[in-house]
mmCIF file of all heavy atoms in Angstrom:
data_model
loop_
_atom_site.group_PDB
_atom_site.id
_atom_site.type_symbol
_atom_site.label_atom_id
_atom_site.label_comp_id
_atom_site.label_asym_id
_atom_site.label_seq_id
_atom_site.Cartn_x
_atom_site.Cartn_y
_atom_site.Cartn_z
ATOM 1 N N VAL A 454 142.587 -2.181 -11.020
ATOM 2 C CA VAL A 454 142.737 -1.847 -9.602
ATOM 3 C C VAL A 454 142.948 -0.348 -9.448
ATOM 4 O O VAL A 454 143.317 0.343 -10.391
ATOM 5 C CB VAL A 454 143.928 -2.596 -8.938
ATOM 6 C CG1 VAL A 454 143.720 -4.097 -8.970
ATOM 7 C CG2 VAL A 454 145.238 -2.220 -9.585
ATOM 8 N N ILE A 455 142.713 0.143 -8.242
ATOM 9 C CA ILE A 455 142.990 1.539 -7.906
ATOM 10 C C ILE A 455 144.155 1.551 -6.925
ATOM 11 O O ILE A 455 144.100 0.924 -5.864
ATOM 12 C CB ILE A 455 141.754 2.216 -7.294
ATOM 13 C CG1 ILE A 455 140.597 2.187 -8.293
ATOM 14 C CG2 ILE A 455 142.092 3.656 -6.877
ATOM 15 C CD1 ILE A 455 139.294 2.698 -7.739
ATOM 16 N N LEU A 456 145.222 2.248 -7.295
ATOM 17 C CA LEU A 456 146.400 2.345 -6.441
ATOM 18 C C LEU A 456 146.150 3.306 -5.286
ATOM 19 O O LEU A 456 145.173 4.055 -5.289
ATOM 20 C CB LEU A 456 147.602 2.818 -7.260
ATOM 21 C CG LEU A 456 147.970 1.964 -8.472
ATOM 22 C CD1 LEU A 456 149.129 2.608 -9.230
ATOM 23 C CD2 LEU A 456 148.319 0.552 -8.055
ATOM 24 N N THR A 457 147.028 3.307 -4.304
ATOM 25 C CA THR A 457 146.875 4.217 -3.169
ATOM 26 C C THR A 457 146.937 5.678 -3.604
ATOM 27 O O THR A 457 146.454 6.552 -2.899
ATOM 28 C CB THR A 457 147.955 3.960 -2.100
ATOM 29 O OG1 THR A 457 149.245 4.074 -2.710
ATOM 30 C CG2 THR A 457 147.798 2.596 -1.483
ATOM 31 N N THR A 458 147.522 5.937 -4.760
ATOM 32 C CA THR A 458 147.582 7.299 -5.293
ATOM 33 C C THR A 458 146.254 7.719 -5.914
ATOM 34 O O THR A 458 146.091 8.874 -6.292
ATOM 35 C CB THR A 458 148.670 7.397 -6.375
ATOM 36 O OG1 THR A 458 148.332 6.501 -7.439
ATOM 37 C CG2 THR A 458 150.042 7.065 -5.818
ATOM 38 N N GLY A 459 145.310 6.743 -6.044
ATOM 39 C CA GLY A 459 144.039 7.025 -6.688
ATOM 40 C C GLY A 459 144.045 6.713 -8.169
ATOM 41 O O GLY A 459 143.012 6.737 -8.830
ATOM 42 N N GLN A 460 145.210 6.399 -8.713
ATOM 43 C CA GLN A 460 145.339 6.083 -10.134
ATOM 44 C C GLN A 460 144.759 4.699 -10.436
ATOM 45 O O GLN A 460 145.002 3.747 -9.707
ATOM 46 C CB GLN A 460 146.822 6.119 -10.524
ATOM 47 C CG GLN A 460 147.095 5.793 -11.962
ATOM 48 C CD GLN A 460 148.592 5.740 -12.259
ATOM 49 O OE1 GLN A 460 149.415 5.799 -11.353
ATOM 50 N NE2 GLN A 460 148.934 5.631 -13.518
ATOM 51 N N GLU A 461 143.975 4.603 -11.513
ATOM 52 C CA GLU A 461 143.441 3.317 -11.950
ATOM 53 C C GLU A 461 144.398 2.700 -12.953
ATOM 54 O O GLU A 461 144.837 3.362 -13.892
ATOM 55 C CB GLU A 461 142.071 3.503 -12.586
ATOM 56 C CG GLU A 461 141.008 3.922 -11.591
ATOM 57 C CD GLU A 461 139.617 3.957 -12.202
ATOM 58 O OE1 GLU A 461 139.311 3.078 -13.032
ATOM 59 O OE2 GLU A 461 138.877 4.873 -11.852
ATOM 60 N N VAL A 462 144.743 1.419 -12.732
ATOM 61 C CA VAL A 462 145.641 0.711 -13.637
ATOM 62 C C VAL A 462 145.098 -0.696 -13.885
ATOM 63 O O VAL A 462 144.256 -1.191 -13.144
ATOM 64 C CB VAL A 462 147.085 0.618 -13.080
ATOM 65 C CG1 VAL A 462 147.705 1.989 -12.918
ATOM 66 C CG2 VAL A 462 147.113 -0.146 -11.775
ATOM 67 N N ILE A 463 145.594 -1.315 -14.930
ATOM 68 C CA ILE A 463 145.250 -2.696 -15.255
ATOM 69 C C ILE A 463 146.464 -3.558 -14.908
ATOM 70 O O ILE A 463 147.572 -3.310 -15.398
ATOM 71 C CB ILE A 463 144.920 -2.863 -16.751
ATOM 72 C CG1 ILE A 463 143.793 -1.934 -17.170
ATOM 73 C CG2 ILE A 463 144.606 -4.320 -17.070
ATOM 74 C CD1 ILE A 463 142.455 -2.272 -16.585
ATOM 75 N N LEU A 464 146.270 -4.561 -14.058
ATOM 76 C CA LEU A 464 147.344 -5.481 -13.710
ATOM 77 C C LEU A 464 147.264 -6.729 -14.577
ATOM 78 O O LEU A 464 146.177 -7.279 -14.783
ATOM 79 C CB LEU A 464 147.246 -5.894 -12.239
ATOM 80 C CG LEU A 464 147.396 -4.800 -11.191
ATOM 81 C CD1 LEU A 464 147.268 -5.396 -9.794
ATOM 82 C CD2 LEU A 464 148.720 -4.076 -11.349
ATOM 83 N N THR A 465 148.393 -7.178 -15.075
ATOM 84 C CA THR A 465 148.494 -8.429 -15.816
ATOM 85 C C THR A 465 148.800 -9.521 -14.807
ATOM 86 O O THR A 465 149.762 -9.418 -14.044
ATOM 87 C CB THR A 465 149.612 -8.347 -16.871
ATOM 88 O OG1 THR A 465 149.363 -7.220 -17.703
ATOM 89 C CG2 THR A 465 149.666 -9.610 -17.707
ATOM 90 N N MET A 466 147.967 -10.569 -14.781
ATOM 91 C CA MET A 466 148.063 -11.595 -13.738
ATOM 92 C C MET A 466 148.572 -12.924 -14.292
ATOM 93 O O MET A 466 148.256 -13.301 -15.421
ATOM 94 C CB MET A 466 146.695 -11.801 -13.093
ATOM 95 C CG MET A 466 146.056 -10.531 -12.542
ATOM 96 S SD MET A 466 147.018 -9.684 -11.280
ATOM 97 C CE MET A 466 146.887 -10.862 -9.946
ATOM 98 N N PHE A 467 149.369 -13.606 -13.456
ATOM 99 C CA PHE A 467 149.936 -14.906 -13.801
ATOM 100 C C PHE A 467 149.775 -15.851 -12.614
ATOM 101 O O PHE A 467 149.905 -15.445 -11.465
ATOM 102 C CB PHE A 467 151.428 -14.775 -14.130
ATOM 103 C CG PHE A 467 151.706 -14.005 -15.378
ATOM 104 C CD1 PHE A 467 151.845 -12.627 -15.354
ATOM 105 C CD2 PHE A 467 151.813 -14.664 -16.592
ATOM 106 C CE1 PHE A 467 152.102 -11.917 -16.509
ATOM 107 C CE2 PHE A 467 152.057 -13.962 -17.754
ATOM 108 C CZ PHE A 467 152.204 -12.582 -17.723
ATOM 109 N N ALA A 468 149.520 -17.136 -12.898
ATOM 110 C CA ALA A 468 149.399 -18.149 -11.851
ATOM 111 C C ALA A 468 150.772 -18.742 -11.558
ATOM 112 O O ALA A 468 151.557 -19.015 -12.464
ATOM 113 C CB ALA A 468 148.440 -19.249 -12.286
ATOM 114 N N GLY A 469 151.054 -18.927 -10.279
ATOM 115 C CA GLY A 469 152.320 -19.519 -9.867
ATOM 116 C C GLY A 469 152.261 -19.941 -8.416
ATOM 117 O O GLY A 469 151.203 -19.920 -7.781
ATOM 118 N N ILE A 470 153.403 -20.329 -7.896
ATOM 119 C CA ILE A 470 153.519 -20.744 -6.503
ATOM 120 C C ILE A 470 154.490 -19.806 -5.806
ATOM 121 O O ILE A 470 155.555 -19.483 -6.340
ATOM 122 C CB ILE A 470 154.008 -22.206 -6.404
ATOM 123 C CG1 ILE A 470 152.959 -23.128 -7.019
ATOM 124 C CG2 ILE A 470 154.292 -22.595 -4.956
ATOM 125 C CD1 ILE A 470 153.391 -24.565 -7.161
ATOM 126 N N LEU A 471 154.112 -19.352 -4.622
ATOM 127 C CA LEU A 471 154.920 -18.456 -3.802
ATOM 128 C C LEU A 471 155.449 -19.244 -2.605
ATOM 129 O O LEU A 471 154.691 -19.948 -1.946
ATOM 130 C CB LEU A 471 154.054 -17.297 -3.307
ATOM 131 C CG LEU A 471 154.626 -16.387 -2.231
ATOM 132 C CD1 LEU A 471 155.799 -15.595 -2.776
ATOM 133 C CD2 LEU A 471 153.549 -15.452 -1.718
ATOM 134 N N GLU A 472 156.747 -19.126 -2.344
ATOM 135 C CA GLU A 472 157.338 -19.785 -1.181
ATOM 136 C C GLU A 472 158.121 -18.772 -0.349
ATOM 137 O O GLU A 472 158.931 -18.019 -0.866
ATOM 138 C CB GLU A 472 158.280 -20.903 -1.607
ATOM 139 C CG GLU A 472 158.915 -21.629 -0.443
ATOM 140 C CD GLU A 472 159.906 -22.698 -0.864
ATOM 141 O OE1 GLU A 472 159.674 -23.361 -1.891
ATOM 142 O OE2 GLU A 472 160.919 -22.860 -0.165
ATOM 143 N N VAL A 473 157.830 -18.763 0.952
ATOM 144 C CA VAL A 473 158.547 -17.911 1.905
ATOM 145 C C VAL A 473 158.929 -18.782 3.101
ATOM 146 O O VAL A 473 158.050 -19.359 3.744
ATOM 147 C CB VAL A 473 157.691 -16.723 2.393
ATOM 148 C CG1 VAL A 473 158.469 -15.865 3.394
ATOM 149 C CG2 VAL A 473 157.206 -15.879 1.239
ATOM 150 N N GLY A 474 160.205 -18.893 3.385
ATOM 151 C CA GLY A 474 160.662 -19.635 4.560
ATOM 152 C C GLY A 474 160.175 -21.073 4.616
ATOM 153 O O GLY A 474 159.865 -21.571 5.689
ATOM 154 N N GLY A 475 160.100 -21.744 3.467
ATOM 155 C CA GLY A 475 159.669 -23.135 3.441
ATOM 156 C C GLY A 475 158.166 -23.329 3.379
ATOM 157 O O GLY A 475 157.683 -24.435 3.210
ATOM 158 N N ARG A 476 157.390 -22.245 3.507
ATOM 159 C CA ARG A 476 155.925 -22.318 3.396
ATOM 160 C C ARG A 476 155.557 -21.903 1.982
ATOM 161 O O ARG A 476 156.098 -20.935 1.456
ATOM 162 C CB ARG A 476 155.270 -21.362 4.386
ATOM 163 C CG ARG A 476 155.604 -21.656 5.828
ATOM 164 C CD ARG A 476 155.083 -20.548 6.720
ATOM 165 N NE ARG A 476 155.470 -20.772 8.100
ATOM 166 C CZ ARG A 476 154.686 -20.537 9.129
ATOM 167 N NH1 ARG A 476 153.483 -20.031 8.943
ATOM 168 N NH2 ARG A 476 155.101 -20.770 10.343
ATOM 169 N N GLU A 477 154.624 -22.636 1.357
ATOM 170 C CA GLU A 477 154.253 -22.272 -0.007
ATOM 171 C C GLU A 477 152.745 -22.297 -0.211
ATOM 172 O O GLU A 477 152.014 -22.976 0.508
ATOM 173 C CB GLU A 477 154.959 -23.158 -1.033
ATOM 174 C CG GLU A 477 154.569 -24.592 -1.053
ATOM 175 C CD GLU A 477 155.332 -25.381 -2.119
ATOM 176 O OE1 GLU A 477 156.489 -25.048 -2.437
ATOM 177 O OE2 GLU A 477 154.753 -26.340 -2.639
ATOM 178 N N THR A 478 152.318 -21.506 -1.216
ATOM 179 C CA THR A 478 150.903 -21.424 -1.566
ATOM 180 C C THR A 478 150.784 -21.081 -3.044
ATOM 181 O O THR A 478 151.640 -20.380 -3.601
ATOM 182 C CB THR A 478 150.170 -20.364 -0.714
ATOM 183 O OG1 THR A 478 148.774 -20.440 -0.971
ATOM 184 C CG2 THR A 478 150.662 -18.957 -0.978
ATOM 185 N N GLY A 479 149.734 -21.572 -3.668
ATOM 186 C CA GLY A 479 149.425 -21.168 -5.031
ATOM 187 C C GLY A 479 148.828 -19.773 -5.006
ATOM 188 O O GLY A 479 148.096 -19.425 -4.082
ATOM 189 N N THR A 480 149.146 -18.974 -6.023
ATOM 190 C CA THR A 480 148.652 -17.600 -6.011
ATOM 191 C C THR A 480 148.593 -17.020 -7.410
ATOM 192 O O THR A 480 149.077 -17.616 -8.367
ATOM 193 C CB THR A 480 149.549 -16.710 -5.116
ATOM 194 O OG1 THR A 480 148.887 -15.473 -4.900
ATOM 195 C CG2 THR A 480 150.911 -16.470 -5.728
ATOM 196 N N SER A 481 148.004 -15.848 -7.508
ATOM 197 C CA SER A 481 148.028 -15.047 -8.730
ATOM 198 C C SER A 481 148.962 -13.877 -8.496
ATOM 199 O O SER A 481 148.757 -13.096 -7.570
ATOM 200 C CB SER A 481 146.628 -14.524 -9.063
ATOM 201 O OG SER A 481 145.779 -15.570 -9.439
ATOM 202 N N PHE A 482 150.003 -13.797 -9.299
ATOM 203 C CA PHE A 482 150.965 -12.694 -9.221
ATOM 204 C C PHE A 482 150.598 -11.636 -10.233
ATOM 205 O O PHE A 482 150.225 -11.957 -11.360
ATOM 206 C CB PHE A 482 152.376 -13.175 -9.583
ATOM 207 C CG PHE A 482 152.991 -14.130 -8.618
ATOM 208 C CD1 PHE A 482 153.008 -15.489 -8.886
ATOM 209 C CD2 PHE A 482 153.585 -13.682 -7.452
ATOM 210 C CE1 PHE A 482 153.603 -16.383 -8.010
ATOM 211 C CE2 PHE A 482 154.173 -14.566 -6.567
ATOM 212 C CZ PHE A 482 154.182 -15.919 -6.847
ATOM 213 N N SER A 483 150.735 -10.365 -9.857
ATOM 214 C CA SER A 483 150.683 -9.312 -10.863
ATOM 215 C C SER A 483 152.116 -9.128 -11.354
ATOM 216 O O SER A 483 153.065 -9.240 -10.582
ATOM 217 C CB SER A 483 150.119 -8.011 -10.290
ATOM 218 O OG SER A 483 150.986 -7.451 -9.341
ATOM 219 N N ALA A 484 152.258 -8.909 -12.653
ATOM 220 C CA ALA A 484 153.582 -8.728 -13.234
ATOM 221 C C ALA A 484 153.790 -7.247 -13.510
ATOM 222 O O ALA A 484 152.902 -6.572 -14.015
ATOM 223 C CB ALA A 484 153.710 -9.530 -14.518
ATOM 224 N N THR A 485 154.950 -6.746 -13.146
ATOM 225 C CA THR A 485 155.224 -5.321 -13.261
ATOM 226 C C THR A 485 156.532 -5.078 -14.012
ATOM 227 O O THR A 485 157.494 -5.808 -13.834
ATOM 228 C CB THR A 485 155.273 -4.674 -11.858
ATOM 229 O OG1 THR A 485 155.636 -3.316 -11.990
ATOM 230 C CG2 THR A 485 156.249 -5.367 -10.948
ATOM 231 N N GLU A 486 156.514 -4.068 -14.883
ATOM 232 C CA GLU A 486 157.737 -3.709 -15.618
ATOM 233 C C GLU A 486 158.678 -2.878 -14.752
ATOM 234 O O GLU A 486 159.862 -3.077 -14.760
ATOM 235 C CB GLU A 486 157.383 -2.922 -16.891
ATOM 236 C CG GLU A 486 156.660 -3.731 -17.935
ATOM 237 C CD GLU A 486 157.491 -4.863 -18.520
ATOM 238 O OE1 GLU A 486 158.722 -4.746 -18.564
ATOM 239 O OE2 GLU A 486 156.887 -5.862 -18.932
ATOM 240 N N ARG A 487 158.121 -1.922 -13.996
ATOM 241 C CA ARG A 487 158.970 -1.039 -13.205
ATOM 242 C C ARG A 487 158.439 -0.820 -11.803
ATOM 243 O O ARG A 487 158.899 0.050 -11.102
ATOM 244 C CB ARG A 487 159.063 0.338 -13.864
ATOM 245 C CG ARG A 487 159.617 0.348 -15.239
ATOM 246 C CD ARG A 487 159.524 1.725 -15.789
ATOM 247 N NE ARG A 487 158.130 2.170 -15.657
ATOM 248 C CZ ARG A 487 157.582 3.156 -16.277
ATOM 249 N NH1 ARG A 487 158.286 3.871 -17.078
ATOM 250 N NH2 ARG A 487 156.324 3.472 -16.097
#
Side-chain angles (χ1 to χ4, degrees):
V454 298
I455 300 174
L456 303 177
T457 56
T458 61
Q460 179 184 8
E461 292 186 38
V462 297
I463 303 292
L464 297 180
T465 305
M466 305 301 291
F467 293 88
I470 296 172
L471 169 67
E472 180 183 324
V473 179
R476 300 172 184 220
E477 67 180 31
T478 187
T480 192
S481 292
F482 293 101
S483 67
T485 176
E486 292 295 331
R487 301 175 307 197

